[in-house]
Amino acid sequence: MSISNRNALRAGLLYLLLSILWIQLSQRLLSSVFDQPEQLVHWQIVRGYLWVSVSTVLIFLIHARYQRFAHTVMHLMHSSADRERLRQAAAVFDCTREGVLVTNKDGLIIHVNRAFVAITGYQEAEVLGMRPSLFKSGRHSVDFYQKVYRALETTGEWSGEIWNRRKSGEIYPQWQTIRAIRDDHGQLSQYVAVFSDISAIKDSQHELAQLANYDPLTGLPNRLLFTDRASQALASAQVHKRGCALLLIDLDHFKIINDSLGHNIGDQLLKAVGERLQQLFGTGISLARLGGDEFAVLAENCPQVVQAAALAQRVIEGLREPFLLDGHQLFISASIGISLFPSDSLNAEQLLRNADSALFKAKSAGREGYALYTEELTAHAQHRVEMAGELRRALEQGELRVYYQPVHELRGSRLIGVEALVRWEHPQRGLVSPGEFIPIAERTGLIAEIDAWVMEKSCRQMCQWLRDGIELSFIAVNVSSRLFARRELYQQVAKVLDDTGLDPALLELEVTESAVMDDPEVALEQLHRLRELGVSLAIDDFGTGYSSLLRLKRLPVQKLKIDQGFVAGLPWDEDDAAIVRVVIALAQSMGMRVQAEGIEQAEQARFLLDHSCDLGQGYWFGRPMPAEQLDWQCAPAIA
Ligand code: C2E
Ligand code: MG
Ligand code: MG
């Protein structure tokens, strides 16, 4: 039963009770006062009216009282539920991590929560009565705020990203929801804004974009971003009929710095190179680090070959100034490959590939220089691919030959050894020199088979000569730098010695200086293992790489071969003469024998002999030739 029904029942019962009481009392009173029945009837009518009036008043009073009572009870019950709800809302309001701000309908702040204080840095007292425009960052246009107001007017709500300013002045992004609150009559009473600080999310988004598009070491765009930008630049250049140039810059011998001074210095150098390059270029030129020690430059308005070449020259000269890092003064040079748009290619990927071919050409031409991509270069690349296929066939069909070049003792001119040098007897092209096909064999992996074949063939030949009574102290075989780092080399040499039965002391392995110094730790281990087999070891082309004397001292090597590039200038070129003298002294001080390559003239042999070089090799003594054509009696006297 509802409260109002119960009240009505109570009022009814009371009324009934009072009516009975009234009839009883008034009947007794009237009977005692009036004797006449007419008088009594008359008074009974009066009493009836009186009763109706009194009871009407009574019913009204009772009902009104009960109404008030019921209302009070209802009110009490409601307000306790409201209080509970308010308490909950206040707790949420205070504990939420979102900032909450309430304004009255005029836009004046009337309430903020704890998170608001934490996020904005303002205390409650500082903002009460102020307008939210206090937090404006200045990043949004008037139009933006108008859109917010319009949304609040039409839908009563707005949410979105907004940049505001903290008390510290820092500008930060918020995700904000604003709602217009209306009272029971639909009148606007307040605005409530709830917001969260999304700067952390923004930062990680930014970091992700940075990681995907930028090189973390130098801060320069990476390959992905560079290719993307280059594509856009080329598209625009096509529309505006402009010419562009792409330069691929590769640092020369960077690996040596990394290996000798450590990766930390290597990284610092890359960073410094990035900064130096950035300083060299103005607007319209994008720079990127593609990876390792490779940088790329896109010049957007560079129609002429000469302009591109001048830019490359600027890079080369810009890097000449030494870098000062951690107390080290470092010199680094660069090789540059250039490809032009639209003459060389129309798309960014192809342009990069072409620049890479040009770079290869620049490196082969002796580094610290630039080369341009031309059709000839492409033809050259195609030729290399074709040659790889042919080389495979040559190996299978036995087109390779081993030639032997004599090595003489300088004192006495006695022929004491030979160097085995591979040749390719091409059915159409005739004799192809190793300088042409060894690099291709190295790129395609065929070098392992070639070197194994040459080694076996040479060892067998040496055994044959010994059986024929020819006195030779050694047969030298070249080992490719590609194989040198591999563990199989040791097994391969051991197998050849085992198969042929050659005395290991008669086999000399020649390894280039760069193969040894590229990875000195691996080289040291490899050389020691080979040495355990009893073979002797020589460093070929000494003087062309960057040797660390400290490392050289630790190598179990018995011979240094002076590169023919230094011998060529003897005896007149002072620099060459000085270098040769130093190398001889160095070898001797470390207990190694020293052999000069490329001796073509008697004066060269004389100079070398005078400076106590032990051995000599070159056209003056004898060219490389097939085994059966070697002249064992030849011993040209050094005048
Ligand atoms: P290398 O080991 O330094 O060989 C010396 C090169 O100088 C040979 O060139 C030789 O013919 C040449 N030469 C010798 N005396 C003179 C001279 O008086 N004047 C001039 N201008 N040159 C002279 P070749 O035979 O063309 O070999 C070139 C390079 O190819 C070799 O340089 C070696 O690094 C590599 N090579 C040759 N045969 C093999 C091989 O079987 N395996 C590997 N991995 N590399 C080989
Ligand atoms: Mg050699
Ligand atoms: Mg050599």
Side-chain angles (χ1 to χ4, degrees), residues 255 259 263 479-490 511-532 537 551 554-557:
K255 199 172 180 311
D259 289 346
H263 288 260
V479 176
S480 161
S481 55
R482 298 288 163 122
L483 296 189
F484 186 67
R486 294 220 223 136
R487 294 201 150 255
E488 302 96 271
L489 179 64
Y490 169 85
V511 191
T512 57
E513 186 186 8
S514 54
V516 175
M517 293 301 164
D518 272 357
D519 202 340
E521 292 313 311
V522 174
L524 194 65
E525 196 200 323
Q526 181 76 282
L527 290 171
H528 274 292
R529 280 161 64 85
L530 291 171
R531 192 73 190 115
E532 277 165 22
L537 303 165
R551 287 197 174 119
R554 287 165 60 206
L555 299 177
V557 169

Side-chain angles (χ1 to χ4, degrees), residues 405 419 422-423 434 451 478 540-541 564 597-598 600 618-619 624:
Q405 185 175 31
E419 177 176 3
V422 70
R423 300 283 179 271
D451 275 5
N478 292 283
D540 204 354
D541 304 341
Q564 51 182 276
E597 308 182 281
E600 293 184 355
Y619 296 167

Side-chain angles (χ1 to χ4, degrees), residues 460-499:
R460 287 200 189 285
Q461 183 60 60
M462 184 69 172
C463 291
Q464 185 59 47
W465 280 326
L466 294 173
R467 277 198 297 274
D468 294 346
I470 297 167
E471 275 184 41
L472 283 178
S473 309
F474 65 89
I475 181 156
V477 176
N478 292 283
V479 176
S480 161
S481 55
R482 298 288 163 122
L483 296 189
F484 186 67
R486 294 220 223 136
R487 294 201 150 255
E488 302 96 271
L489 179 64
Y490 169 85
Q491 283 141 15
Q492 189 181 315
V493 177
K495 184 172 183 303
V496 168
L497 289 172
D498 196 44
D499 288 352

Side-chain angles (χ1 to χ4, degrees), residues 235-243 301 303 341-342:
S236 142
Q238 201 153 22
V239 173
H240 298 100
K241 305 222 172 333
R242 274 199 317 253
N301 201 356
F341 169 90

